[in-house]
Amino acid sequence: MIEARNLTFSYGKEKQALHGLDFSVEDGEIFGFLGPNGSGKSTTQKILTGILKGYGGRVSLFGEDMQSGHTQAFFQKIGVLFEFPYLYTNLSALDNLHYFASFYPREQRRDAEELLDELEFKKDFLNKPVSSYSKGMRQRVSMARALISNPRLLFLDEPTSGLDPSGAVLFRKIIEKEREKGTTVFLTTHNMLDADLLCDRVAFISNGTIAVLDTPRNLKEKNSNHSIVIDYLYQGRREEQTIEAPDMKAGIPFAYDELISVHSQEPTLEDMFIQYTGRGLS
């Protein structure tokens, strides 16, 4: 679906943003492109969506070279959720969606009201101007705009930004539903929880280079210390012990009256990002 080879890009002579990226994204995959602000992730997405030109290396989408693939048919196959909402603030949610839907063949479009209902958009705001919406409401309309054309390839830049926890859960369910339909998702974010819960594979980008590319599970397992913390009650007192995972094969190796909790010491995806890049996410 996406292939990038030796991808480079510079903002002028003194600011090289990308330093020879190599990666590929398979059909129907949710691919996470993770890094802090200024790492090159948004630059990469802008190249892949045809917004930025003048890059070095080779990029292909749908099996076609991007240098010659900027046709109307190409843009009709992709959907984009930008980090900041691109909406006409004097128009309503429905007016915005009907306008953007008009760029696509009728048989390709989704129903705007049904889509907003799926995104749990407040019905009493359907015909009010976007200028009156909260950030979370604008994000819902922006997601609807990205989905209105039933894209084969979906680019999402910080999709859960501005959402409360329940809204973030809803968006993850919708992204997973898109993947089940066969949609390929390129997820650009510095939100490690989104990436851990959604992505089949992740690439960590820092200072314009990819530090590592693997599945979230593999990254955490390869770097786990394989220890387990057990919280328990024994003779009326609460105790805690840390043991190595192999010691659990024959059962818990100490006396206890009641187990309270058992936790693995597996690192988080954010721990892995810091380990591989030497940087935090802020």
Side-chain angles (χ1 to χ4, degrees):
M1 178 62 76
I2 300 175
E3 187 170 353
R5 292 291 174 259
N6 194 32
L7 179 59
T8 60
F9 187 83
S10 296
Y11 292 100
K13 293 182 179 179
E14 310 234 338
K15 189 179 179 183
Q16 186 165 357
L18 304 179
H19 301 270
L21 305 187
D22 287 296
F23 64 90
S24 60
V25 181
E26 303 298 325
D27 285 357
E29 179 178 29
I30 299 180
F31 185 86
F33 208 61
L34 317 181
N37 294 331
S39 62
K41 62 185 191 298
S42 292
T43 296
T44 303
Q45 178 167 282
K46 288 175 182 177
I47 292 171
L48 296 179
T49 54
I51 295 173
L52 276 181
K53 299 176 176 62
Y55 58 85
R58 182 177 182 276
V59 179
S60 65
L61 274 73
F62 308 107
E64 297 182 28
D65 193 296
M66 281 287 290
Q67 298 285 14
S68 58
H70 292 161
T71 63
Q72 183 179 14
F74 165 78
F75 288 110
Q76 287 179 343
K77 290 187 286 189
I78 68 171
V80 183
L81 171 67
F82 299 98
E83 181 178 4
F84 302 104
Y86 280 78
L87 301 167
Y88 291 101
T89 57
N90 60 318
L91 298 180
S92 69
L94 286 176
D95 287 339
N96 268 278
L97 294 181
H98 291 152
Y99 172 70
F100 291 117
S102 69
F103 300 152
Y104 302 95
R106 185 177 300 276
E107 65 274 9
Q108 187 178 333
R109 306 173 199 166
R110 295 179 64 174
D111 183 271
E113 286 198 49
E114 288 180 3
L115 193 50
L116 287 170
D117 187 58
E118 185 178 347
L119 286 159
E120 297 182 0
F121 187 82
K122 296 178 181 178
K123 293 185 185 299
D124 52 340
F125 278 84
L126 283 174
N127 294 297
K128 293 181 179 179
V130 168
S131 58
S132 66
Y133 297 174
S134 67
K135 185 175 182 181
M137 291 170 67
R138 294 185 188 207
Q139 193 72 350
R140 282 170 164 79
V141 182
S142 295
M143 177 62 100
R145 175 188 169 179
L147 297 174
I148 194 75
S149 62
N150 270 317
R152 286 180 54 197
L153 176 57
L154 185 58
F155 290 95
L156 302 178
D157 194 352
E158 306 294 353
T160 59
S161 174
L163 298 175
D164 59 23
S166 64
V169 170
L170 173 66
F171 267 44
R172 291 186 202 114
K173 288 180 179 177
I174 287 172
I175 294 167
E176 288 172 344
K177 186 176 178 181
E178 287 299 308
R179 189 250 301 275
E180 290 169 4
K181 287 166 47 180
T183 307
T184 303
V185 180
F186 189 90
L187 174 65
T188 307
T189 186
H190 62 254
N191 186 318
M192 291 294 162
L193 179 60
D194 285 348
D196 202 0
L197 293 174
L198 288 170
C199 293
D200 299 297
R201 291 186 301 147
V202 295
F204 291 164
I205 182 170
S206 179
N207 297 319
T209 62
I210 293 178
V212 68
L213 196 164
D214 207 337
T215 67
R217 181 175 180 176
N218 283 347
L219 286 171
K220 291 183 290 184
E221 285 184 353
K222 285 191 294 189
N223 294 280
S224 174
N225 61 14
H226 303 292
S227 61
I228 296 171
V229 176
I230 301 176
D231 201 14
Y232 62 99
L233 291 175
Y234 183 60
Q235 295 183 346
R237 291 188 306 175
R238 185 165 180 160
E239 306 279 355
E240 181 181 281
Q241 286 201 39
T242 301
I243 63 173
E244 297 301 307
D247 295 340
M248 290 280 289
K249 288 182 178 179
I252 296 175
F254 53 81
Y256 65 93
D257 296 322
E258 180 184 344
L259 291 178
I260 298 173
S261 63
V262 178
H263 296 288
S264 68
Q265 294 296 89
E266 183 181 80
T268 66
L269 202 57
E270 185 166 350
D271 292 334
M272 292 300 90
F273 184 86
I274 293 171
Q275 177 176 315
Y276 280 99
T277 68
R279 297 182 60 185
L281 293 170
S282 59

